[in-house]
Amino acid sequence: MIHSPGRTLRSLWGALLLLLAAALLTAPAPAAAAAARTEVAAAVPAATLTEVTGFGTNPSNLRMYVYVPSNVTAHPAVLVAVHWCTGSGPDMYNGTEYDTLADRYGYIVIYPSVTRSSKCFDVSSPQALKRGGGSDPVGIRSMVDWVSANYSADTGRVYATGISSGAMMTNVLLGDYPDVFAAGAAFAGVPFGCFATTDGSEWNSACSGGTVIHTPQEWGDLVRAAYPGYTGPRPRMQLWHGTEDDVLRYPNFGEEIKQWTNVQGVSQTPSATDSPVSNWTRTRYGGTGDQAPVEAVSLQGVGHNVDMTGLAARVLTFFGLDSSGPAPQPQPGGCRVTATTNAWNTGLTASVTLTNTGATAVGGWQLGFTLPAGQTITNGWGATYAPVSGAVTATNATYNGAIAPNASVTIGYQANHTGNSAAPGAFTLNGTVCTSS
């Protein structure tokens, strides 16, 4: 399928660095590094693509490569970058910009690598299309768990992106593990379940040809069947496709939109349509900001080999990993917060209602506040909370990121306290000070 351009010189350096990494892995870590990573059980060399073995359950014998930047943040986000057919983890590393952007923003990148002869990910078998089914998604989940355990990663900020076969796997990962992945970005892929086969074949010609058509409900049901009974939030999805794709035909793009809008429970009618680059058409569903529940970018005149130059940065903005970019966006014109607590002995529950008092819709939000001394959050709903004491940031769930003008969302948390059970008294929404009532 897609063959992303490699970086030859960098590949040579990468090979040399891998040899060096193997040697470093057998040597004791410097005292300073050990002190800085007291939580790390098996750290890898920084700023070096490194293969990790023995990372956990791996039924299809995938290989795991990981890139940890020198400036990795505390409790970092995790990005899984999935390669195309005939590619590999190192090819994905060399052919995309996710590692250099990790150097800037401090997240960790996992590059899964197929060992079967086709070098394509399994997105076809019944095992692949079921949570814990015993194929590639299980091994990738193990890679995420390894990074989460060894780097105390933020499990609320795990993302997947892929190209071609990797894009199909991105769809599969978000369907199988909606409780693991917060969002995905798929370049030239197909919907979850579209490539399904029952005869052991890895290829589905009807799907690749764009002739597998379902209703939004049918597509959504395929996703929901991967994890029966799951009722939690669903990952956001960003979709990219060229109109002249002759490998995975363009109709698959529309079918993906139908699927993920249904999964998200939002309208198939775009909330916003624009053209951020000449010959691009971008539609957003369920919200108008950079972190809408579903975002789809149609690339006029582009074939299967999407030029990835510069696109990784747009993926990070959608994920919210670009700290210098407009994420979450847009900034609100005003906000109001009402917070109450109900306390007992050493515990309390808090209810927080956030109202957008501005004239512009908010497409993604982070609510900042400081807990009174002695309070520690033990669980929460409607948002993810980090850290759990002191200055806290509550980040929207996938289903409540869009707040229309004059609309409200209510979130809450449970906390322990040592005597002060008051609610926080000051809040900021995406950096803007809110009024409190």
Side-chain angles (χ1 to χ4, degrees):
M1 293 184 181
I2 194 167
H3 299 271
S4 181
R7 290 172 276 186
T8 304
L9 180 59
R10 179 172 162 184
S11 297
L12 293 173
W13 276 111
L16 292 173
L17 288 171
L18 282 172
L19 293 175
L20 177 60
L24 288 174
L25 282 171
T26 63
R37 290 184 178 169
T38 56
E39 298 172 323
V40 176
V44 300
T48 303
L49 184 67
T50 304
E51 182 170 6
V52 174
T53 59
F55 51 83
T57 305
N58 183 23
S60 54
N61 197 32
L62 298 177
R63 298 174 73 173
M64 173 185 178
Y65 296 86
V66 64
Y67 182 85
V68 179
S70 298
N71 65 334
V72 62
T73 60
H75 307 297
V78 179
L79 175 61
V80 179
V82 194
H83 68 75
W84 52 92
C85 276
T86 75
S88 67
D91 289 339
M92 189 71 175
Y93 167 77
N94 284 311
T96 59
E97 300 163 335
Y98 294 112
D99 59 316
T100 57
L101 291 168
D103 291 336
R104 185 182 308 172
Y105 300 117
Y107 59 85
I108 294 174
V109 193
I110 297 170
Y111 299 93
S113 196
V114 171
T115 58
R116 64 178 60 88
S117 58
S118 66
K119 299 298 178 69
C120 296
F121 285 92
D122 177 14
V123 296
S124 305
S125 73
Q127 292 77 20
L129 300 175
K130 177 182 178 182
R131 178 185 177 84
S135 190
D136 293 352
V138 172
I140 295 173
R141 165 71 187 274
S142 295
M143 298 177 195
V144 170
D145 289 345
W146 186 94
V147 169
S148 297
N150 284 282
Y151 286 90
S152 295
D154 184 346
T155 56
R157 294 193 301 147
V158 178
Y159 306 92
T161 184
I163 304 169
S164 190
S165 179
M168 292 192 277
M169 178 51 70
T170 297
N171 278 267
V172 169
L173 289 172
L174 268 58
D176 286 357
Y177 295 103
D179 54 334
V180 174
F181 294 93
F187 290 84
V190 303
F192 177 101
C194 182
F195 240 61
T197 60
T198 56
D199 60 359
S201 171
E202 296 180 40
W203 191 258
N204 184 318
S205 295
C207 179
S208 66
T211 62
V212 176
I213 307 298
H214 289 300
T215 66
Q217 183 68 37
E218 288 169 342
W219 280 125
D221 287 345
L222 287 175
V223 171
R224 288 181 284 270
Y227 187 3
Y230 177 74
T231 58
R234 291 284 178 172
R236 295 179 299 110
M237 177 62 95
Q238 184 185 59
L239 303 166
W240 300 76
H241 218 108
T243 61
E244 302 305 314
D245 193 326
D246 59 353
V247 177
L248 299 175
R249 298 283 183 176
Y250 185 68
N252 284 301
F253 179 60
E255 299 304 295
E256 286 178 296
I257 294 172
K258 288 159 60 174
Q259 182 171 68
W260 291 105
T261 52
N262 181 267
V263 168
Q264 282 286 346
V266 300
S267 172
Q268 284 189 270
T269 301
S271 300
T273 302
D274 64 358
S275 182
V277 174
S278 178
N279 295 322
W280 289 16
T281 300
R282 179 173 63 186
T283 49
R284 287 168 166 167
Y285 304 84
T288 59
D290 288 326
Q291 294 183 343
V294 179
E295 179 175 276
V297 186
S298 175
L299 310 173
Q300 183 65 39
V302 174
H304 190 61
N305 294 326
V306 178
D307 181 1
M308 290 295 296
T309 304
L311 299 188
R314 293 181 177 272
V315 170
L316 295 196
T317 297
F318 179 75
F319 289 165
L321 294 179
D322 180 358
S323 59
S324 69
Q329 278 287 319
Q331 295 292 334
C335 48
R336 182 179 66 251
V337 175
T338 302
T340 60
T341 59
N342 181 20
W344 68 91
N345 296 330
T346 59
L348 64 87
T349 57
S351 177
V352 179
T353 298
L354 165 63
T355 302
N356 174 14
T357 59
T360 304
V362 175
W365 52 263
Q366 291 185 329
L367 186 67
F369 56 91
T370 299
L371 289 174
Q375 292 187 16
T376 302
I377 294 175
T378 55
N379 61 75
W381 48 93
T384 56
Y385 300 83
V388 294
S389 61
V392 176
T393 298
T395 302
N396 66 274
T398 56
Y399 59 85
N400 65 4
I403 312 177
N406 300 314
S408 301
V409 296
T410 297
I411 63 175
Y413 58 86
Q414 187 171 3
N416 295 327
H417 67 84
T418 58
N420 187 347
S421 60
F427 297 85
T428 60
L429 174 61
N430 296 353
T432 296
V433 176
C434 300
T435 59
S436 298
S437 60

